[in-house]
Every structure is written in structure tokens, then in C-alpha cells.
Amino acid sequence: MDRKRCTLKLLVQPSRGLVDEMFIILVQKAPSGFQLTVHALHKCEDGHSWEAFGHYTADTIGTVNVSEDPSLGGTYSGVEQMGLLWSLRPVPGSKPGLRLRKMNVQIPMEVTISVYQGHQTEGFMDQVPLASVVVERWYMAPGVSRIPITEDRLSATLFLPPGPGPFPGLLDLWGGGGQLVEYRASLLASHGIASLALDYLTAKIIMETGKMVDLQYFEKAYKILEQHPQVHGSSIGMLGLSLGTSITLKMAAYSEVMKLRCAVCISGSHVQPVDGSMEDILKHFNKNADRTRVSEENEFIWRDLLLPVPSDLAFKVDMGRLKCPLLVVVGEDDQNWPASESAMDMKEMMEQAGNSHLLTVLSYPNAGHLIEPPYTPHARASLFRSMATREKMMALWGGETAAHSLAQEDAWRKLLVFLRENLYSGTNPGTPSLSHL
């Protein structure tokens, strides 16, 4: 087809929205039956570029609607409205082991959506597209406040929803990679929940003293939320992923200070020395390092380190002590933690204790360890720096891309419902901006 005669039109709505918001992509004014490739390109903050693409055929009136029409090939297939985001992958020639994570939540994730002639799989950077649109994907909604927290020697960031509040609160913990990871907390604040992202493995106090934080560190973080004038102090929950679940369950069951309204545990376990410190928990995991397996691609599999699930209550959280609702999210192909086996044991313990009515388990076939907010590109494996050895190695997280992405979407929707049901009851939620920019 002659490019000069092509008046093809590309529309993406909304062009500016939250990262968990769906968009509509319409291609119009193409010739009937025209074969085209819709392509997404994102250059992330570490300088690496990611792409995704789908192959489409225009209908009799020259239109492609990505929300309704099937991709015939590319990085995803079938009708997948958000496939151009969740199937993003490093461009050819990138170094192995990359994982796409937002570093600065105060600027958007920019994605260039383009249309190319024909069904193509490579060489996009060497061509001029028929049409292009840049879309912005935000973790922070307008009016969300970002407040660095350093008091009590904490390394944390508080995100407050727009409006006077008071808002329900949430303590947000990531896993064994450390660092202050803000993107989930900022997105939760965009949905009306005051969220405190907390670094507990690479915090400034650890760098200064050379010692791991104690459990009071988490209680101090809780008190920051509890005492904040824009937070409803009696309506605070806790969310942990991976190693963060170990802390979440320990504090929910044993802390005299933290009176949690609810807890969420994603891809983790209750197995740990119950009377142990943060350092003891890590040592307990590492003492079974000889159970590490390595895949044919030289990827490390750590899920066996906590197996079999012990019967000795000295080495697992007494789930019968739990007094608040608990949401457990499991990827059944998790190669990093024994999340499935742990969830089954937690359920048995709570049934025996008579508090299983507090437990909700979401279990997803073919989903891996890194269950993140919707449309986050799936990383089956990526480079990971062990907190114990400080070595970088390739960790196998697991999951099949389409199934894992579906799990992220479903789990996030149900997580938000769970938090609203348990944190908003009996509170004045203020005027949070729930989704739209």
C-alpha cells in the first residue's frame, strides 16, 4: 500500500490514566481487510526498552478495535484488551534477566502505541509507523501526596489520597530484594487508602548499624499511620508479598501494638521461627540452602527451602491466634516460595482453631511468584540480589505469561474489594479519588 495514500487514524482512550485502568485502542480508516501490526514501546527509567505487538486484520469498514478483535499473532493472541501492556518484553538484544519496575512514581510510564503495515515481528525501530500515539500510565492519581518518612529512623514513604480524610491506612511490604519500593503503595493511595511503603532490608538504619531491624521497627511504622491526623487510626491493614508475608503474619498474630483490621499475603508462607528476629527468619530460610534447585537455564529455584511445611508450632505462625480477616493470594506455579503448600496448611490450622471464617484464599493455576498490579509485564525469571550473600543470580519466579497476567488482574480487583470491605467499615473515608484521572 502506498504510504502517501494512507490516512489511517489511531485513537487510544484514555490517553492518560492509572496503570490499572483499561484503555481502548481503535484503528480507523484502514482499507478493508488491511493487515496491520499494533505495537507498544516503553523506555523505562533504567534505559532499557520494552515492546509488545499484536497482528490484526481490519474489518469491512477499515476498523480494528483491540478490545473486541483477536490478535492473530505477536506477543499475545486472541482478544486481549490490555495485551500490549502485560506482554511487554525487552527488545531484541537486551541483556537477560530484566524486570520492569517503576522507580519514580511522580512521573508517568509513557508508552508509544504505533501501527505498522503488515504482520511484522521485528525491525520496528527501523521503520516509520503509519500512526503513533503516546499514552501516560500513572501510579499516582492527581492530588495524591507523597511524603518521605524518616522519623524513628524509618526508611518509608507515605502516600495520602486527595481530600481531608481521615482515610483507612495500610502498611505495604515487599520481599527479599529490599529497597524502598513505592509503586504499589502509590496506586493504593490512588484508590483511597493511605499507604506506607516500608524498606526493612536495606534501610538507612541497617546501613549505619550493620544490624537487621527488629520487630519494633514495623510497630513504629504502624504507629506513624495510626497517629497521622489524616489516617483513621483504628482502620489499618497490612500487605506483604514474598518475605513481606512472613512479617505480616508474624505481626498480625503476635504483636501487642499492631491491631490490624485486615491482612493480605501474596506469594508467601507462615513458616518461620516464631520466636525469631528478622535475622533469625533469614537464617532459618538459608539453613536449607542445599535444597536449592537449578533449572536447565541456570535459574535458581528456592521453593523447597521451606518444605516440607513443619508440624512443630515453633517453626510456623500459629494461625489460630489470628483475629482479623486474611486474604492469601497464591500462584500455583510459584517456583520461589511454597505458597500453595503453605496456604493449605494455614487453612487446616485455622479450621482446627475455629477461625477459618477469617480466611480467603485466591489460588491461580499457571501463575508465578510475582503477582503485581494489573498489566505489569510478567517476568518468569529475572536477576535478583540475595540479601544473604549480596550475589546477583537469576531467580526463577514461575508462571505462564497469559495466565499470570489474568491472575494479576483478578487478584488486584478482589484485593481492592477486600480492603474496602474491611477497612472502610465504620470509618469516614473522606473523598478519595478511586480510579480516574
Side-chain angles (χ1 to χ4, degrees):
M1 189 182 91
D2 185 349
R3 277 191 54 83
K4 292 180 181 177
R5 293 173 56 199
C6 179
T7 56
L8 182 145
K9 182 179 180 184
L10 173 62
L11 179 70
V12 184
Q13 289 291 344
S15 60
R16 188 170 188 257
L18 290 176
V19 293
D20 59 352
E21 216 177 329
M22 285 187 162
F23 52 37
I24 293 171
I25 300 175
L26 280 176
V27 181
Q28 298 171 316
K29 297 185 178 181
S32 174
F34 183 60
Q35 292 190 335
L36 56 89
T37 300
V38 184
H39 179 268
L41 178 68
H42 169 63
K43 187 171 183 178
C44 58
E45 292 148 302
D46 60 12
H48 296 287
S49 293
W50 295 63
E51 70 174 2
F53 54 91
H55 297 155
Y56 294 90
T57 301
D59 63 16
T60 53
I61 59 170
T63 298
V64 169
N65 184 341
V66 172
S67 306
E68 299 174 357
D69 299 333
S71 167
L72 306 174
T75 55
Y76 63 97
S77 59
V79 179
E80 294 288 353
Q81 183 170 350
M82 302 304 292
L84 285 167
L85 288 189
W86 60 249
S87 73
L88 281 167
R89 64 188 187 188
V91 298
S94 299
K95 72 176 186 179
L98 296 177
R99 178 182 171 194
L100 183 56
R101 305 188 86 187
K102 194 78 178 80
M103 307 302 289
N104 181 0
V105 297
Q106 295 177 286
I107 59 173
M109 172 185 179
E110 290 189 345
V111 183
T112 302
I113 309 293
S114 302
V115 178
Y116 293 88
Q117 183 174 345
H119 288 167
Q120 304 195 41
T121 58
E122 59 187 4
F124 296 102
M125 300 305 99
D126 302 325
Q127 302 177 56
V128 178
L130 300 174
S132 286
V133 172
V134 176
V135 298
E136 292 184 357
R137 309 286 292 174
W138 288 83
Y139 284 90
M140 283 179 68
V144 170
S145 302
R146 178 185 178 275
I147 306 165
I149 302 293
T150 56
E151 58 193 277
D152 289 328
R153 304 190 80 181
L154 295 174
S155 292
T157 307
L158 175 62
F159 291 92
L160 290 173
F167 306 103
L170 189 78
L171 188 55
D172 184 21
L173 303 184
W174 284 85
Q179 308 304 318
L180 183 55
V181 182
E182 297 182 348
Y183 58 90
R184 186 172 59 196
S186 61
L187 185 57
L188 286 164
S190 299
H191 285 277
I193 299 169
S195 301
L196 185 76
L198 181 68
D199 178 4
Y200 59 98
L201 288 176
T202 53
K204 187 177 180 183
I205 187 173
I206 300 172
M207 303 299 117
E208 291 173 350
T209 64
K211 296 179 181 178
M212 298 296 298
V213 299
D214 55 25
L215 297 177
Q216 286 71 45
Y217 183 83
F218 302 97
E219 293 176 338
K220 289 175 183 175
Y222 173 86
K223 284 195 165 293
I224 292 290
L225 277 173
E226 183 185 47
Q227 295 169 5
H228 196 282
Q230 285 177 265
V231 176
H232 199 291
S234 63
S235 190
I236 297 172
M238 195 165 176
L239 165 62
L241 179 140
S242 194
L243 181 61
T245 66
S246 303
I247 308 303
T248 298
L249 290 171
K250 181 182 280 287
M251 305 315 285
Y254 300 108
S255 174
E256 295 294 324
V257 172
M258 297 171 69
K259 307 298 181 186
L260 298 176
R261 185 71 77 88
C262 64
V264 179
C265 291
I266 304 172
S267 303
S269 176
H270 61 319
V271 177
Q272 59 177 282
V274 166
D275 293 329
S277 63
M278 188 73 236
E279 191 170 1
D280 293 330
I281 292 173
L282 291 176
K283 283 180 179 176
H284 180 72
F285 294 167
N286 293 327
K287 75 181 176 69
N288 294 325
D290 59 332
R291 298 180 191 169
T292 301
R293 289 182 284 130
V294 182
S295 73
E296 292 179 3
E297 289 77 28
N298 209 34
E299 300 155 337
F300 284 77
I301 300 169
W302 290 308
R303 70 180 322 278
D304 296 343
L305 269 60
L306 296 182
L307 290 178
V309 174
S311 55
D312 187 348
L313 285 177
F315 293 100
K316 59 182 180 181
V317 172
D318 182 357
M319 300 302 296
R321 293 177 59 95
L322 204 70
K323 295 183 175 65
C324 69
L326 171 65
L327 176 65
V328 173
V329 182
V330 171
E332 294 176 17
D333 188 42
D334 190 334
Q335 298 298 311
N336 196 248
W337 281 62
S340 291
E341 294 90 338
S342 298
M344 285 189 283
D345 191 70
M346 285 190 272
K347 185 171 185 284
E348 287 177 15
M349 291 178 75
M350 293 179 74
E351 285 172 349
Q352 290 171 7
N355 64 342
S356 62
H357 62 284
L358 296 173
L359 178 65
T360 302
V361 178
L362 303 177
S363 189
Y364 296 99
N366 299 315
H369 182 69
L370 299 176
I371 298 176
E372 301 221 52
Y375 322 127
T376 301
H378 169 234
R380 179 168 173 78
S382 70
L383 284 171
F384 177 80
R385 188 186 296 277
S386 164
M387 285 294 103
T389 65
R390 304 304 301 161
E391 287 181 66
K392 266 194 173 182
M393 54 194 76
M394 194 71 75
L396 182 62
W397 309 114
E400 183 274 317
T401 297
H404 185 89
S405 301
L406 189 65
Q408 290 189 150
E409 194 175 339
D410 187 74
W412 182 255
R413 184 175 67 250
K414 290 173 179 173
L415 180 153
L416 289 178
V417 170
F418 176 84
L419 291 176
R420 284 170 180 151
E421 286 178 347
N422 290 290
L423 294 179
Y424 277 122
S425 56
T427 74
N428 169 21
T431 55
S433 171
L434 291 183
S435 64
H436 293 290
L437 292 173

